Amino acid sequence: METTMNSYSRPSIFLALALAASVTQAADELEEVIVTADFRASELMNSAASVSVLGELQIQERGARHLEDILSAAPNVSWSTGASRSRFVQIRGVGDLEQYAEPKYYPSVGVMVDELELGSAANAGMLFDISQVEVLRGPQGTRFGASAHAGMIKINSNAPTDEFEALLSGGVGNYGAYNYGAVISGPLGDSVTGRIALQQNQGDGYIENEHLGEDDTAGYDELTGRARLRWQPDDGSRYELALFSFDAENGYDAYSLDNERKTWSDQPGADEQDTLAVSARGEWQLGVSTTLQAVVSDLDADLLYSYDADWISAEVCQINTCSFGHDTAREIFDRRRDQSTLDVRLLGGAEAMAAGEWRYALGFYGNQSREKLNYAYPSAWYGLYESASRYETDRYAIYGELEYAFSNRLSLTGGLRLERFEDDYRDSNGVGHDNSEDLYNGELSLQYDFSDNSFGYATLALASKPGGVNVAASSQYGFMSPAFQGFMQGKLRFDDERLLNREIGFKSRQLDGRLELRAALFYATRENAQLENWMWDDSAGLWIGYLDSNSDTDSYGLELETTFVASEAIELVANIGWLDTEVDTVTTFDLDRWDFVSKKDREQTKSPGYQYNAGMRTALPAGFSGVLELEGRDESYFGYYHDGQLEAYNLLNASLSWSNASLTLNLWGRNLTDEEYATHGLYFGADPRDDFGAWSNQTYYQFGAPRTYGLDISWRL
C-alpha cells in the first residue's frame, strides 16, 4: 500500500476547482435539491447545516448497492468494516468503530430509511429504488437527539406515484456479483397510491479460502423489500404505511496472517441479519398554519455475527513449524433486537418567513429497545465459554424549536430537547447494572440571506449521548487478572458524552445558476468522549473491549462542495474535507511495552486529515453519457491501543451509460487502478509460525474492495 497521496490526485482537485471557477457559456442550470431530514423540507442551498445530498443518478452511475459504495462522495465521512458491510459511520472523526458484545442502540451517527431508525442494524442500508441519500454533518440534537449525536444519514426511498409505473432491473459484475429487482407503483383508488420494490443482491466477495478451496466465504446474499401505501382522503389529512424487510446471509472471512486476500480459516464466520420493520405516519392540517404529525415504528431484527478466532486451520501448522500448535476457536454473537418508537410533533407558524414572522415545532419522542445476546467462545485451548445477557433501554424526550425573522434577510432559530434515558443490564454471570439520567440538547442558529443567491449561517449546538454499560468488561471482570481488574474498576460503566459544535457556513449559486458552492467551517469539543479501546489480558486469556469516557477531545475542519455546469454537455464536481482532531489523554494497555500507558494529544481514530472527491459528468451523442471521478483520503489511526495507521489511498471510478425513454444500460467500474487499501486494522500476536516471529505483535488489515466492474440494465414499463 502506498504511504503518500498518488501524484495524480492533488492536481486533480485543483484542476476541478479551477474549471469550476472558470466562466463559459451554458444554457443549463443546476436543479433545486430538497433536504427532508429536518422538521420542514428545505432547499439544500438554504439549509442551515453542512449537508451532502447523493442523488439517484449518482447511485446508479456508481453501480452502488450499499451505503458503503457511495459515502466516499461526502467530505469528512468515514466508515468502519469489521463485518461483511460497513455497519458504522464516522462523521468529522466521531462515530463507533465496530460491534462485538456491546449493544450500541445509539451509534453516534444515525442511519434512517425514510421514517425508520436502523441503529445498529445499518447493514440494511441498501440502495435499490432510492431517490437520494442525505448526509447531515454535525449534531442534529433538537430534531433527533442521541440518535444523531455526530450526524445523520437519511435514506429516502422513491415514493408511490400517481401514475402507473414499473421497473425491471438486473446486473452482473466480476467476483460472481449479480442482482435482479422489480418495482411497481401507481394508484390503487381515487385517494390511494402504493409502491413495492424487491431486489436480490449476491456475490462471492473478494476472499479466497485456501484451506476450503472456496472463493465465497466472504460472499453476500441480500434480499431487500420495501412497500409503501399512501392514503389522502381529503386536503386536510394524509397517511402512509411502510413495510421494510431485509434478509442477509453474508459470510465473514476477512483477515489473513500474510495480509492478503487469501485466508486459511477452517471455520469461516457469518454476518447474517433478518430484519422486519413497519412504520406508520399520519399528518393532519389543524388550521391554516398548524399541522400535526405522528410517526410510529416497530423493528425486529435477528443478527448473527461470528468469525474464526484463530484465523487458520491445522494445515498451516503442518506446512510450517508453529509454537504451541494452534487454537481452534470461534467467537459467536447471536442477538435478538426489538425497537419501538413514537414521534409526535406540532408544526405551526408561517411557511415562508418574512420580517416579524415566526414558526415553531413542538414534539414528544419515545424509544423502547430490548436486546438479548447469546454469546459463545468454543476453543480447543480455553474450552467452551458461554453467556447470555439482556439489555433494555427506555428513552423519552420533549423538544421544541422556534424560528423568528428579524427582517426579510435575517432570522434566528433556537431549539431545545430534554431527554430521559434509562437502561437495565443483566447477564448469566450475575452482573447487573441499571441507571437513569437526563440529557440536554440545544441549538442556536443565525441565518442571513446576503442576496437572492447567497446564504450564510452561524450555529452553536450542544448534543448529549447517553452513557451505559461496558457489557464485555462487566461480564469478564471476575475472570480478569488483578492488574486489569484494578484498571477497569472505575470503567465498567461509561459516562454520557457532551459535544459542543460551533459552525459557520456559506452557500452561493452564481453564473445564472450554473455554479453552486457550499462551505462549512466548524470547531467541536467533546467532554467525556466515548472512545473505543481494547486490552489483552494474557494471564486470563481475555480480550477486553470497552468504551472509555475519561478523555476530552477537540476537532476542527472544513467542508467544501462545488458543482459547476460548464456547458450543456459537461458538469464538474469537487468536494473536499479537511479535519484536524486531538484527544487530550487516553490511557490504554500497550502490547509492546506490556504495561498501561497514557497517550497525550493523539488524533482520533478514523479521522483522515483530508478527503476528496472530484469528477466530471459528460453528455455524449446518441443517448450516451460518461462519468470519471477520483476519490481519496489521508492516513488515519485505526485504534487507541496501538499507533498503527490505515494508509492514504486514491481511487479511480468511471461509468458509461446509454438510455432512451424506457431502457438504461450502465457499464461501471470502481477502483479501476486496483489499488490495495485498508478499511480497518488490528494489532496483536496472532501468527503461531516460527518463521514469521511466532506470536509477535503485528498489524493486520481488512481490505476494501479491489477493482470491481459490472453492467446494470433497467427497463421502465
Side-chain angles (χ1 to χ4, degrees):
M1 290 180 290
E2 298 183 17
T3 57
T4 58
M5 200 174 184
N6 284 352
S7 60
Y8 61 74
S9 57
R10 290 186 189 273
S12 301
I13 300 174
F14 297 122
L15 176 61
L17 289 173
L19 287 171
S22 65
V23 180
T24 59
Q25 279 302 115
D28 291 348
E29 66 178 43
L30 293 162
E31 296 181 359
E32 181 180 279
V33 177
I34 302 300
V35 179
T36 65
D38 208 346
F39 292 117
R40 296 175 176 85
S42 62
E43 187 185 352
L44 173 63
M45 298 301 292
N46 289 309
S47 60
S50 181
V51 185
S52 296
V53 177
L54 312 173
E56 186 172 19
L57 178 61
Q58 193 171 3
I59 293 170
Q60 292 173 352
E61 288 172 339
R62 277 203 174 202
R65 311 284 178 243
H66 186 268
L67 268 176
E68 65 185 9
D69 299 327
I70 198 74
L71 284 180
S72 57
N76 282 337
V77 178
S78 301
W79 60 93
S80 291
T81 47
S84 65
R85 290 294 194 184
S86 302
R87 187 180 301 174
F88 292 107
V89 182
Q90 303 86 42
I91 291 181
R92 297 175 174 174
V94 182
D96 301 295
L97 303 178
E98 54 203 352
Q99 181 178 31
Y100 293 98
E102 313 306 317
K104 294 189 177 176
Y105 289 142
Y106 309 116
S108 292
V109 178
V111 178
M112 296 184 68
V113 175
D114 297 323
E115 303 291 346
L116 180 68
E117 295 181 28
L118 290 180
S120 60
N123 265 19
M126 305 301 291
L127 298 181
F128 179 66
D129 196 38
I130 295 301
S131 61
Q132 66 184 32
V133 176
E134 302 172 10
V135 182
L136 286 73
R137 288 175 288 267
Q140 312 295 314
T142 307
R143 174 67 178 89
F144 296 108
S147 298
H149 183 67
M152 172 62 73
I153 296 174
K154 188 171 186 289
I155 304 171
N156 293 337
S157 66
N158 284 307
T161 54
D162 294 329
E163 301 292 332
F164 173 81
E165 66 176 39
L167 174 76
L168 295 175
S169 71
V172 294
N174 59 338
Y175 293 99
Y178 67 92
N179 69 87
Y180 53 89
V183 178
I184 186 169
S185 178
L188 302 176
D190 292 338
S191 59
V192 180
T193 57
R195 189 181 190 94
I196 296 176
L198 294 169
Q199 187 194 47
Q200 179 74 51
N201 183 54
Q202 290 188 275
D204 294 337
Y206 317 119
I207 294 293
E208 294 182 13
N209 188 298
E210 296 291 297
H211 170 70
L212 298 176
E214 298 177 359
D215 63 0
D216 61 352
T217 53
Y220 47 89
D221 183 356
E222 300 156 328
L223 177 63
T224 306
R226 298 187 185 89
R228 295 178 63 177
L229 187 69
R230 281 186 172 180
W231 176 40
Q232 187 167 357
D234 52 55
D235 293 337
S237 61
R238 61 176 179 175
Y239 307 88
E240 180 165 330
L241 181 66
L243 182 69
F244 175 77
S245 174
F246 179 69
D247 185 8
E249 297 182 1
N250 296 354
Y252 181 55
D253 187 21
Y255 285 97
S256 163
L257 295 179
D258 297 317
N259 275 325
E260 57 184 10
R261 297 185 190 274
K262 295 181 180 181
T263 64
W264 287 86
S265 51
D266 55 2
Q267 301 178 92
D271 187 16
E272 300 178 1
Q273 179 174 332
D274 187 0
T275 295
L276 181 64
V278 62
S279 63
R281 175 187 174 95
E283 184 173 311
W284 302 269
Q285 196 73 32
L286 303 183
V288 176
S289 60
T290 306
T291 303
L292 177 65
Q293 298 175 346
V295 178
V296 60
S297 68
D298 186 78
L299 179 147
D300 295 321
D302 292 321
L303 302 105
L304 175 63
Y305 176 77
S306 68
Y307 64 95
D308 190 321
D310 59 277
W311 298 359
I312 61 173
S313 62
E315 186 178 1
V316 172
C317 289
Q318 294 168 358
I319 299 173
N320 304 274
T321 302
C322 295
S323 292
F324 309 109
H326 85 286
D327 191 8
T328 300
R330 298 175 67 204
E331 194 164 20
I332 304 167
F333 304 85
D334 188 0
R335 43 175 39 99
R336 169 75 184 221
R337 179 169 170 249
D338 301 305
Q339 174 184 284
S340 298
T341 64
L342 171 67
D343 197 353
V344 181
R345 54 185 174 264
L346 189 68
L347 305 178
E351 282 299 317
M353 298 291 288
E357 293 187 320
W358 54 276
R359 59 186 179 188
Y360 65 87
L362 295 172
F364 169 81
Y365 173 85
N367 183 313
Q368 291 186 330
S369 296
R370 307 289 183 260
E371 182 172 292
K372 294 181 180 179
L373 170 64
N374 292 318
Y375 172 80
Y377 188 91
S379 165
W381 284 2
Y382 298 102
L384 174 62
Y385 173 77
E386 293 180 299
S387 67
S389 65
R390 64 174 178 83
Y391 191 59
E392 301 178 353
T393 65
D394 295 315
R395 180 171 146 224
Y396 305 99
I398 54 173
Y399 58 84
E401 184 179 88
L402 180 65
E403 183 178 356
Y404 179 75
F406 294 102
S407 69
N408 291 339
R409 294 188 180 275
L410 179 65
S411 63
L412 178 69
T413 301
L416 183 64
R417 185 181 183 107
L418 172 62
E419 295 192 359
R420 178 69 172 177
F421 178 83
E422 300 175 354
D423 68 348
D424 186 357
Y425 172 79
R426 297 289 183 271
D427 68 27
S428 57
N429 294 319
V431 177
H433 294 278
D434 61 79
N435 186 52
S436 61
E437 55 187 315
D438 294 323
L439 304 172
Y440 299 90
N441 297 270
E443 183 176 325
L444 196 63
S445 180
L446 192 67
Q447 300 112 40
Y448 186 73
D449 288 312
F450 293 96
S451 67
D452 291 341
N453 299 318
S454 297
F455 169 81
Y457 67 90
T459 297
L460 183 67
L462 173 66
S464 298
K465 183 183 178 185
V469 182
N470 275 314
V471 171
S474 295
S475 63
Q476 295 171 334
Y477 185 77
F479 306 97
M480 296 179 193
S481 302
F484 290 87
Q485 285 184 336
F487 179 76
M488 287 303 302
Q489 189 170 14
K491 301 177 184 288
L492 297 181
R493 287 194 62 92
F494 54 92
D495 296 330
D496 59 281
E497 176 184 313
R498 288 172 294 280
L499 189 157
L500 182 62
N501 185 59
R502 306 92 166 160
E503 182 171 322
I504 57 174
F506 178 75
K507 304 181 181 184
S508 184
R509 178 175 286 168
Q510 300 295 328
L511 304 179
D512 298 324
R514 295 185 288 111
L515 172 65
E516 283 187 359
L517 169 68
R518 301 187 299 277
L521 183 67
F522 65 89
Y523 171 59
T525 55
R526 298 163 68 192
E527 182 181 349
N528 300 331
Q530 297 173 4
L531 307 178
E532 293 189 30
N533 221 328
W534 289 90
M535 300 185 299
W536 169 243
D537 184 348
D538 183 60
S539 298
L542 293 175
W543 270 109
I544 305 165
Y546 62 100
L547 285 177
D548 189 338
S549 58
N550 292 308
S551 302
D552 298 333
T553 72
D554 297 271
S555 59
Y556 54 91
L558 170 72
E559 286 117 20
L560 178 65
E561 299 178 277
T562 62
T563 306
F564 178 50
V565 178
S567 70
E568 292 184 5
I570 297 176
E571 180 179 292
L572 304 171
V573 174
N575 302 326
I576 300 174
W578 172 70
L579 180 64
D580 191 277
T581 65
E582 183 178 284
V583 178
D584 293 345
T585 303
V586 59
T587 302
T588 187
F589 186 78
D590 191 298
L591 287 169
D592 294 320
R593 300 183 188 180
W594 213 251
D595 197 3
F596 295 96
V597 298
S598 293
K599 300 179 180 181
K600 298 181 181 296
D601 303 330
R602 248 290 301 271
E603 292 180 12
Q604 292 179 172
T605 57
K606 296 296 177 70
S607 301
Y610 65 82
Q611 292 175 248
Y612 74 93
N613 173 266
M616 178 179 67
R617 177 182 292 110
T618 180
L620 302 170
F624 285 91
S625 62
V627 174
L628 183 67
E629 64 175 349
L630 298 169
E631 63 175 76
R633 64 186 59 212
D634 195 10
E635 62 188 13
S636 63
Y637 290 104
F638 58 74
Y640 293 103
Y641 69 99
H642 184 254
D643 290 333
Q645 292 188 324
L646 306 178
E647 297 178 349
Y649 64 83
N650 309 280
L651 308 179
L652 174 66
N653 309 318
S655 69
L656 178 65
S657 302
W658 175 85
S659 64
N660 61 18
S662 60
L663 187 64
T664 299
L665 284 76
N666 182 51
L667 180 64
W668 58 268
R670 298 194 297 270
N671 188 12
L672 289 176
T673 59
D674 201 23
E675 180 163 352
E676 187 176 86
Y677 63 100
T679 56
H680 201 43
L682 303 173
Y683 182 79
F684 67 114
D687 195 337
R689 299 173 296 179
D690 290 347
D691 289 345
F692 294 84
W695 305 109
S696 62
N697 294 323
Q698 301 291 335
T699 300
Y700 301 102
Y701 297 107
Q702 181 171 347
F703 295 109
R707 180 193 295 118
T708 55
Y709 50 85
L711 175 65
D712 293 337
I713 302 174
S714 62
W715 179 36
R716 293 190 177 274
L717 305 181

